[in-house]
């Protein structure tokens, strides 16, 4: 992990606070989250206090401080998806995958996240599982998706 952090640092000038956001984004892209031990090192590299680095990271919803589960499920709760019943879908996902929104299951198989509009309202309701996008999800399809995820992780 240390080597990958140094490789990321090498792309940004030291002591330049404007590098903070892109640096944090790149660390998260590489590792899936922002490991605690990296935040202080980022601060030292950019000459910023660690609490400033943490404060900026905590301000933006895009950053995570814990690793994701094997399957990262995102359910949209924007207006169009909400009108098509996404809140019921969220309840179903929570119940069957045993994970609460905003969390990762104890066995680290599933992370469930509620998102704002994914920019595909014409396909509402929508769901993402890792990089797979599911448009116009019907209740029957949701059941199939849940069953498939459970089978893949048993
Ligand atoms: S409201 Fe769900 S994609 Fe826009």
């Amino acid at each position: 992990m240390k080597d990958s952090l140094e490789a990321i640092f090498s792309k940004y000038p030291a002591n330049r606070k404007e590098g903070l956001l892109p640096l944090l984004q790149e660390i998260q892209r590489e590792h899936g989250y922002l490991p605690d031990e990296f935040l202080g090192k980022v601060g030292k590299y950019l000459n910023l206090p660690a609490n400033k680095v943490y404060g900026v990271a905590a301000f933006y919803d895009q950053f995570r401080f814990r690793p994701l589960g094997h399957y990262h499920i995102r359910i949209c709760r924007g207006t169009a998806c909400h009108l098509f019943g996404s809140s019921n879908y969220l309840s179903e996902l929570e119940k069957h995958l045993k994970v609460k929104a905003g969390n990762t299951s104890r066995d680290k198989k599933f992370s469930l996240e509620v998102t704002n509009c994914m920019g595909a309202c014409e396909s509402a309701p929508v769901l993402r599982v890792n990089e797979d996008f599911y448009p116009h999800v019907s209740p029957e399809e949701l059941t199939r998706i849940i069953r498939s995820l459970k089978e893949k992780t048993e």
Side-chain angles (χ1 to χ4, degrees), residues 84-101:
F84 280 91
S86 66
S87 56
N88 294 336
Y89 289 12
L90 176 62
S91 308
E92 289 295 296
L93 288 161
E94 288 182 327
K95 184 169 110 188
H96 292 288
L97 300 179
K98 300 189 181 354
V99 59
K100 287 281 176 201

Side-chain angles (χ1 to χ4, degrees), residues 18 22 34 49 54 61-62 73 81 83 92 110 129 135 138 150:
E18 55 277 11
L34 300 176
Y54 183 82
D61 286 346
Q62 64 181 292
I73 302 148
C81 290
L83 289 173
E92 289 295 296
F110 307 110
V129 180
S138 65
K150 288 175 86 173

Side-chain angles (χ1 to χ4, degrees), residues 2 35 42 46 66 69 76 86 109 121 129 147 149 152-153:
K2 188 175 156 242
V42 167
L46 298 178
R66 297 220 169 89
C76 178
S86 66
K109 291 176 180 171
C121 307
V129 180
R147 191 179 321 124
L149 287 171
K152 286 181 196 167
T153 54

Side-chain angles (χ1 to χ4, degrees), residues 12-137:
Y12 299 89
N15 303 315
R16 299 287 298 270
K17 66 179 181 192
E18 55 277 11
L20 179 57
L21 270 181
L23 223 157
L24 293 176
Q25 287 166 334
E26 191 158 347
I27 291 171
Q28 180 157 291
R29 242 189 332 273
E30 179 99 5
H31 296 275
Y33 73 111
L34 300 176
D36 266 351
E37 67 268 26
F38 283 11
L39 297 179
K41 290 177 182 167
V42 167
K44 275 191 186 142
Y45 186 72
L46 298 178
N47 197 21
L48 290 168
N51 64 349
K52 169 82 176 165
V53 175
Y54 183 82
V56 168
F59 178 79
Y60 291 99
D61 286 346
Q62 64 181 292
F63 294 118
R64 289 182 289 277
F65 299 98
R66 297 220 169 89
L68 287 172
H70 188 70
Y71 289 103
H72 180 202
I73 302 148
R74 283 167 278 190
I75 177 98
C76 178
R77 289 287 300 277
T79 306
C81 290
H82 182 71
L83 289 173
F84 280 91
S86 66
S87 56
N88 294 336
Y89 289 12
L90 176 62
S91 308
E92 289 295 296
L93 288 161
E94 288 182 327
K95 184 169 110 188
H96 292 288
L97 300 179
K98 300 189 181 354
V99 59
K100 287 281 176 201
N103 288 292
T104 296
S105 58
R106 282 173 178 252
D107 56 15
K108 311 260 189 274
K109 291 176 180 171
F110 307 110
S111 291
L112 182 58
E113 184 180 342
V114 174
T115 72
N116 293 323
C117 178
M118 292 187 195
C121 307
E122 70 285 356
S123 304
V126 301
L127 181 74
R128 282 189 80 128
V129 180
N130 294 347
E131 297 312 312
D132 296 328
F133 180 76
Y134 295 88
H136 304 291
V137 177

